[in-house]
Structures are given as structure tokens and as C-alpha cells.
Amino acid sequence: MLKLVISQMSNQPIYEQIKNQIKKQIIEGSLKAGDGLPSIRVLAKELNVSVITTKRAYEELEKEGFIVTVPARGTFVAGIDREKISTLGLQEIENDLKHIVKKAKILGVNLKKLLETIERLYKGEEGQR
């Protein structure tokens, strides 16, 4: 079952919010290979966004290999191997970390402190400093 929450207040474009949330659900396994997705028009109506917005999200997901559209049948989650998903996930993490490292350098946070912070967050010790 597709669950999407769109924020009009987000800095992220709506098509990216749709794309990223669908991609996340595929990676996490709540959407599985072969699962049907709503048509572009139905999704646009449900989310109260333009058809162009949902079309762009679907086109990008298809380009990235996460979904397939079968003419006259609909749009479905593509069969993606776990290794590919893992590689894509690591690429996203690396891109996020590039931004974090850049920010840390600008703010004068040294590598040791940055690594300690990442380790603490990874272990789930958010509240402790």
C-alpha cells in the first residue's frame, strides 16, 4: 500500500518528495516487486497536485529502474536486486555525507569530533552529548 505525505512547506520540490518516498518504500520492502502503483492521474488527484508533477516523479523512478510502466496495464514496482539497492543507498549516504563534511569544515568541527558524533547517532544515543 502506497503511503505518501506531501509538504507544501518543504524546500524539496513536490515531484522529488513523491519520488523519494516511493523509492524509500521500495528499498525498505513495504512496496515489493510487482506491486501496482496508482495511475499518474489517480495519484495526482489523491495528492491534490498536478498530473505533470506525478508524471515527472514516475519518469524519474522509471529512469532509475525502481518502477516499470506496462502500456494498458499500469505502473508496477520493478524487480530490483538487493545488491543494487544497497549500492544506491550507499551512494545517497555518501552524497549526504559530502554536504555534512563540507558544513563541518566551514564550522571548524574537527574530524575526530565529527566521527564521534556520527558514531553516537549510529548507535542511537541521540540524547547523550
Side-chain angles (χ1 to χ4, degrees):
M1 180 71 191
L2 185 62
K3 295 175 234 94
L4 300 176
V5 178
I6 302 304
S7 169
Q8 300 290 343
M9 308 306 274
S10 174
N11 291 335
Q12 191 178 48
I14 292 172
Y15 81 90
E16 272 189 30
Q17 293 179 51
I18 295 168
K19 179 185 89 165
N20 291 339
Q21 289 181 51
I22 292 173
K23 188 191 296 189
K24 182 176 187 239
Q25 290 177 46
I26 293 169
I27 290 169
E28 290 174 343
S30 55
L31 287 174
K32 297 181 182 0
D35 285 353
L37 296 176
S39 73
I40 290 169
R41 292 188 196 295
V42 167
L43 185 60
K45 188 174 181 183
E46 285 177 4
L47 298 175
N48 200 24
V49 298
S50 80
V51 170
I52 294 167
T53 299
T54 54
K55 185 177 189 307
R56 182 164 181 193
Y58 274 25
E59 284 174 346
E60 292 204 4
L61 285 164
E62 196 155 11
K63 260 190 247 169
E64 293 177 23
F66 283 93
I67 64 173
V68 290
T69 301
V70 181
R73 290 209 47 235
T75 302
F76 303 90
V77 175
I80 302 173
D81 66 41
R82 287 283 146 205
E83 192 172 316
K84 181 179 178 183
I85 288 175
S86 180
T87 300
L88 289 169
L90 281 173
Q91 286 173 345
E92 284 187 29
I93 291 168
E94 187 171 331
N95 287 337
D96 292 345
L97 284 172
K98 284 178 185 176
H99 296 292
I100 291 167
V101 167
K102 183 177 179 181
K103 190 180 243 180
K105 286 179 177 180
I106 289 169
L107 296 172
V109 176
N110 68 39
L111 179 59
K112 184 175 186 242
K113 186 67 179 168
L114 180 60
L115 291 173
E116 286 171 2
T117 303
I118 291 170
E119 185 174 11
R120 178 176 45 80
L121 292 170
Y122 189 85
K123 289 179 178 177
E125 303 164 9
E126 290 91 359
Q128 301 172 6
R129 288 207 175 245

